[in-house]
Amino acid sequence: MTLFLHGYHFSVYTRIARLALAEKAVTYERVEVNPFAADCPPDYLALHPFRRVPTLVHDGFALYETGAITRYVDRAFAGPALRPASPRALARMDQIIGIVDSYAYWPLVRQVFVHDVFRPRTGGEVDLVERDKGLDAAARVLMALDTLASDDACLCGPEVSLADFHLGAMIAYFALSPHGSALLAKHRRLAAWWTRFSRRPSLAATDPGLPVTQP
């Protein structure tokens, strides 16, 4: 079996795919691709015409879109099921993933994390107005997710699911911001869930770290 995951080291979507692979204990090779680089390799664009990450290639079968990748990993490989069996819990998982992709990624990651954490370390331009817009939008997102989250161990019940990976990869960045962490603490279910999820070995195993601080 040959399995390759093409992705950007700091991408939350690459980490989501890595979390699914880690939870299934699947061995794979990582191929670093920076979709923001001007010289994105032509062979990668042949795999992903929209110039995003990640892309999974399994024995010649190429697949992009993170939701498709994580569902494929769950179906194709042995290990614990990453989707609940109950129709309602499964629907809740799909709903949470949809909310995270549509409404959480931009404010939590691209606005709060990038301007509060990433760019200060890399010497990039910091826009605190943009950061504050992200915090305003994040408040609504977290309130909605807090309402939907289960009181059980994981977002959709007692067992971990793909929803935990989608949100967990983003909260891992968001909570590195003092402003993000303070906002998360105001939401009881999500804060309790994050305390539990942040201890999972798969999260530690897939931690991309942070770039070296620029002078």
Side-chain angles (χ1 to χ4, degrees), residues 109-124:
V109 179
R110 296 299 295 272
Q111 291 179 305
V112 176
F113 168 72
V114 164
H115 291 284
D116 241 3
V117 181
F118 194 86
R119 287 190 180 177
R121 293 184 67 89
T122 60

Side-chain angles (χ1 to χ4, degrees), residues 30 38 49 60 83 94 106 116 200:
R30 292 176 60 190
R83 293 172 297 156
D94 290 337
W106 193 265
D116 241 3
R200 289 191 79 85

Side-chain angles (χ1 to χ4, degrees), residues 11-203:
S11 162
V12 293
Y13 282 100
T14 298
R15 191 177 189 185
I16 291 166
R18 293 182 65 208
L19 282 164
L21 289 161
E23 293 280 348
K24 300 288 267 193
V26 177
T27 301
Y28 62 98
E29 293 187 39
R30 292 176 60 190
V31 181
E32 182 68 12
V33 176
N34 184 352
F36 304 107
D39 57 347
C40 189
D43 56 346
Y44 183 70
L45 296 178
L47 292 173
H48 197 321
F50 301 106
R51 198 180 180 139
R52 299 286 181 88
V53 290
T55 296
L56 186 79
V57 181
H58 181 206
D59 290 339
F61 173 66
L63 187 66
Y64 59 84
E65 292 301 312
T66 306
I69 291 170
T70 57
R71 286 170 173 83
Y72 176 77
V73 167
D74 191 30
R75 295 167 180 146
F77 299 100
L82 302 180
R83 293 172 297 156
S86 158
R88 291 189 178 184
L90 188 59
R92 186 69 79 210
M93 183 197 82
D94 290 337
Q95 181 185 25
I96 290 174
I97 290 173
I99 291 169
V100 169
D101 288 344
S102 298
Y103 309 113
Y105 170 69
W106 193 265
L108 270 63
V109 179
R110 296 299 295 272
Q111 291 179 305
V112 176
F113 168 72
V114 164
H115 291 284
D116 241 3
V117 181
F118 194 86
R119 287 190 180 177
R121 293 184 67 89
T122 60
E125 182 180 352
V126 173
D127 187 339
L128 296 183
V129 172
E130 191 70 9
R131 189 274 315 274
D132 289 344
K133 287 179 182 178
L135 287 168
D136 287 343
R140 176 181 295 185
V141 172
L142 295 180
M143 180 177 65
L145 291 170
D146 193 66
T147 300
L148 296 175
S150 167
D151 274 320
D152 221 321
C154 299
L155 286 175
C156 301
E159 304 298 333
V160 74
S161 78
L162 302 179
D164 297 283
F165 308 152
H166 274 254
L167 183 58
M170 297 188 193
I171 293 292
Y173 272 166
F174 182 69
L176 292 176
S177 158
H179 300 89
S181 180
L183 186 57
L184 176 64
K186 295 179 180 179
H187 298 83
R188 180 185 64 82
R189 288 193 183 94
L190 283 186
W193 161 79
W194 177 242
T195 297
R196 293 187 296 269
F197 188 74
S198 64
R199 298 175 182 145
R200 289 191 79 85
S202 62
L203 198 70

